[in-house]
């Protein structure tokens, strides 16, 4: 049995065409079913639905053989910026080019971010992406106090909790609706296929088949 870990929402939706290209169909709609383990048309392949931030954990510890997750989530999980496994042992064979967005710094309209940075002020930065933010500001030589949040980062500069946020931006509509402006782009994000290395050794044939089919669907040789 091959187990693929996916999160509901955009990653699941954008993964379906890739699965289809690999000949894998998932009959259940994750938004409607209460099941957490979904069978596919292939008796040897199943999907487990987990929180986006739990996907790397499932794959690392063998709860799933493969998983699909954002680069943001992988870095926060301990993978290195360049994609090296770091201490996670996760093998990342493919950039699936789905669920694309970017990680950016944003501030309240009218807040002079450039001046604050220039003056060497100690910035208060609220974010769910503590590892990415820490590394980014350290490389710039900007002193920051990081405030860990789990959601609705946009609220932090509006309430005085923080001077800036580090968050995912896609269209920019959420920032605009909350009178925030993007002042720095930290990195581009897309979702990656991650693989449990032990599983790849033990179930090489069927796993290679899926990985190769994804690669082919992406137009890779
Ligand atoms: O929502 P939940 O807490 O369950 O988990 P999650 O937020 O980790 O999962 P999910 O499904 O929301 O996101 C999964 C992955 O999708 C992320 O880890 C990213 O790699 C990727 N992705 C791509 C995005 C976006 N685009 C995105 N726009 N994830 C989140 N957003 C949010 C962003 O946080 C902000 O609140 O959408 C808002 C901004 O969107 P725009 O279009 O208004 O700029
Ligand atoms: Mg979300």
């Amino acid at each position: 049995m091959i187990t693929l870990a996916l999160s509901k929402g955009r990653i699941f939706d954008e993964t379906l065409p890739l699965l289809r290209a690999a000949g894998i169909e998932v009959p259940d709609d994750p938004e409607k079913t209460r099941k957490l383990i979904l069978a596919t048309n292939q008796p040897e392949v199943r999907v487990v639905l987990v929180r986006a931030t739990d996907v790397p954990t499932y794959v690392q510890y063998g709860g799933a053989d493969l998983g699909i997750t954002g680069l943001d989530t992988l870095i926060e999980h301990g993978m290195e910026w360049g994609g090296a496994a770091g201490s996670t042992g996760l093998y990342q064979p493919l950039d699936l080019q789905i669920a694309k967005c970017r990680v950016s710094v944003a501030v309240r309209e009218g807040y002079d971010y450039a001046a604050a940075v220039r003056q060497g002020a100690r910035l208060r930065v609220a974010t769910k992406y503590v590892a990415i933010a820490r590394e980014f500001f350290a490389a710039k030589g900007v002193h920051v106090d990081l405030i860990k949040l789990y959601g609705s980062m946009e609220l932090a500069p509006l309430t005085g909790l923080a001077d800036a946020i580090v968050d995912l931006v896609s269209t920019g509509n959420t920032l605009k609706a909350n009178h925030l402006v993007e002042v720095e782009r930290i990195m581009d994000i897309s979702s990656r296929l991650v693989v449990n290395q032990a599983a790849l050794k033990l179930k090489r044939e069927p796993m290679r088949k899926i990985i190769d089919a994804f690669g082919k669907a992406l137009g890779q040789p």
Side-chain angles (χ1 to χ4, degrees), residues 8 10-11 51-52 70 72-73 99-101 128 154 167-174 189:
K8 286 201 248 184
R10 71 189 99 219
I11 289 185
R51 272 301 280 271
D72 49 315
T73 305
K100 285 188 182 180
C101 57
K128 179 176 162 186
E154 296 86 2
D167 195 8
L168 301 177
V169 181
S170 167
T171 60
N173 290 338
T174 306
I189 297 293

Side-chain angles (χ1 to χ4, degrees), residues 85-104:
S87 56
T88 67
L90 286 171
Y91 167 56
Q92 189 198 125
L94 284 177
D95 178 351
L96 299 175
Q97 299 286 340
I98 58 169
K100 285 188 182 180
C101 57
R102 54 195 185 269
V103 183
S104 291

Side-chain angles (χ1 to χ4, degrees), residues 99-120:
K100 285 188 182 180
C101 57
R102 54 195 185 269
V103 183
S104 291
V105 182
V107 298
R108 223 176 48 239
E109 280 170 14
Y111 177 82
D112 197 343
Y113 173 77
V117 167
R118 206 168 44 237
Q119 288 155 11

